[in-house]
Amino acid sequence: MATQETKQAQRTVKLGSTGPEVFPLGLGCMGMSGMYGATDDAESVRTIQTAIDRGVTLIDTGDFYGMGHNEMLVGRAIAGRRERVQVSVKFGALRGPDGSWMGMDMRPAAVKTFAAYSLKRLGVDVIDIYRPARLDPAVPIEDTIGAIAELVKAGYVRHIGLSEMGVETIRRAHRVHPIVDLQIEYAVSTRGPEAAIFPVLHELGISATLYGVLSRGLLTGSKPKGKGDFRAWLPRFTGADGEKNQDSVAALQRFARERGMTPGQLAIAWVLARQPAFVPVVGAKTVAQLDDALGALSRPLSKEDAAALESLVNISGERYGAEQMHHLDSERR
């Protein structure tokens, strides 16, 4: 007997006009490398493999997550399953031995160096979707995309994506080489891309992979766990904004209970209802979290319920700290 997820696997979403067909939910692996506190590598591998076995095809990582740890983890998990997945890799963030963040490097030579190391750590011959993590203001986007296009021509990359880029940058990049998707934060609590970015994506035939659909766990009531959890520095989790946001979180939780859903399923279902042509990327760290996320596929949200939820959720605070917000091309007006 087919499971609900098996049935859902028969419905795929195409990434852009030239990209691959993927399962309607992707798995984001950043949280498996310490960004949200302690993790367990064995459980992380089980989670990735369970996701693949249940139909998930898009696995998202970054070469700077855990300074290479995440790519090696994903490489272990997809060994023997490579033909069943599309691996999306963000690159370009510079980090020190102490874990500090030191900016971006999107020069063509750096792009090719980053790709070489990613191929090695992942244990693959080709990266399915390769994307600059942020815009490097010192390097024209045409140079960065041109370097990736050369990697496509050489057979090391299949498709090119973007991450957190603004309208003008998206247009310029797409003129150099077809872009299959933009990765950007989007949730019932983070709706900024609706105004200008999503219309341009539809115009150009570019898809989106949507991260932060749970607002980094805020919408499910999760809170920072220990000093290694970078959410402890995010405005939405701290200070007056953090306290104020608990009212919206409580309202969302009540709304979910009334409909027989978990808060996570409700948050995911809202994104699926509002942006059915795009793909939410869920950062599950455990099999239990993965099970919960997949459950959203069998609990679609009506337009009326989606609108009702929007009226209940009013999240205060920027999604990143001031310094990081300053470097987000997607936030430029």
Side-chain angles (χ1 to χ4, degrees):
M1 184 181 220
T3 66
Q4 184 64 37
E5 286 76 33
T6 300
K7 293 175 184 176
Q8 285 292 336
Q10 297 169 5
R11 181 181 84 80
T12 58
V13 179
K14 187 173 176 60
L15 293 185
S17 57
T18 61
E21 300 274 350
V22 300
F23 189 80
L25 284 183
L27 178 65
C29 300
M30 182 182 79
M32 298 175 180
S33 293
M35 294 294 285
Y36 298 139
T39 58
D40 180 291
D41 282 1
E43 178 65 14
S44 296
V45 169
R46 277 194 296 273
T47 301
I48 296 169
Q49 293 181 338
T50 301
I52 297 169
D53 292 343
R54 294 181 66 178
V56 174
T57 57
L58 184 66
I59 308 296
D60 185 77
T61 182
D63 63 4
F64 49 92
Y65 295 166
M67 287 79 83
H69 169 269
N70 203 248
E71 287 183 317
M72 290 188 285
L73 189 73
V74 169
R76 284 171 52 194
I78 67 174
R81 293 170 167 82
R82 174 67 181 103
E83 73 285 352
R84 295 160 59 187
V85 299
Q86 292 93 23
V87 180
S88 163
V89 178
K90 288 183 290 297
F91 71 88
L94 304 176
R95 302 192 67 178
D98 60 352
S100 59
W101 299 88
M102 304 184 300
M104 310 298 299
D105 189 351
M106 298 298 173
R107 295 170 301 161
V111 170
K112 294 177 181 180
T113 300
F114 290 138
Y117 290 144
S118 287
L119 289 164
K120 193 69 162 180
R121 285 190 290 257
L122 289 163
V124 300
D125 297 323
V126 60
I127 297 167
D128 297 287
I129 308 170
Y130 202 47
R131 66 182 81 243
R134 296 289 187 269
L135 181 67
D136 182 347
V139 180
I141 191 64
E142 289 85 355
D143 292 358
T144 301
I145 299 303
I148 307 175
E150 291 177 6
L151 292 172
V152 172
K153 186 175 181 180
Y156 296 115
V157 169
R158 289 197 173 103
H159 306 285
I160 302 178
L162 298 172
S163 176
E164 290 288 355
M165 302 295 184
V167 167
E168 183 56 31
T169 304
I170 294 167
R171 290 188 184 280
R172 288 168 56 191
H174 194 61
R175 284 196 286 266
V176 176
H177 188 280
I179 302 298
V180 296
D181 77 296
L182 170 74
Q183 193 163 108
I184 196 162
E185 185 171 356
Y186 182 72
V188 67
S189 54
T190 311
R191 301 182 63 186
E194 292 176 351
I197 291 177
F198 286 171
V200 169
L201 297 183
H202 289 305
E203 173 195 334
L204 298 177
I206 300 172
S207 188
T209 44
L210 307 169
Y211 76 94
V213 295
L214 308 182
S215 198
R216 295 181 176 80
L218 176 66
L219 299 179
T220 63
S222 177
K223 296 182 179 180
K225 302 176 179 68
K227 82 174 196 180
D229 191 329
F230 94 114
R231 296 177 298 175
W233 288 271
L234 299 182
R236 292 180 174 182
F237 285 88
T238 57
D241 286 330
E243 292 181 13
K244 182 179 178 182
N245 288 338
Q246 293 310 303
D247 291 338
S248 286
V249 172
L252 184 147
Q253 292 174 338
R254 288 193 298 271
F255 194 90
R257 284 196 300 271
E258 291 166 359
R259 284 151 186 79
M261 305 169 76
T262 67
Q265 289 168 351
L266 177 60
I268 295 167
W270 180 89
V271 171
L272 290 167
R274 283 299 187 216
Q275 306 297 335
F278 296 157
V279 180
V281 176
V282 180
K285 296 195 298 182
T286 67
V287 172
Q289 291 174 343
L290 173 69
D291 287 340
D292 184 65
L294 290 173
L297 295 173
S298 59
R299 295 170 173 82
L301 206 61
S302 68
K303 291 183 179 179
E304 294 75 18
D305 275 354
L309 180 61
E310 291 159 20
S311 70
L312 294 175
V313 177
N314 182 21
I315 296 297
S316 297
E318 298 284 8
R319 52 197 183 103
Y320 289 104
E323 180 66 19
Q324 289 173 301
M325 289 295 292
H326 175 72
H327 293 293
L328 286 176
D329 186 57
S330 56
E331 293 289 339
R332 300 189 195 284
R333 298 292 183 259

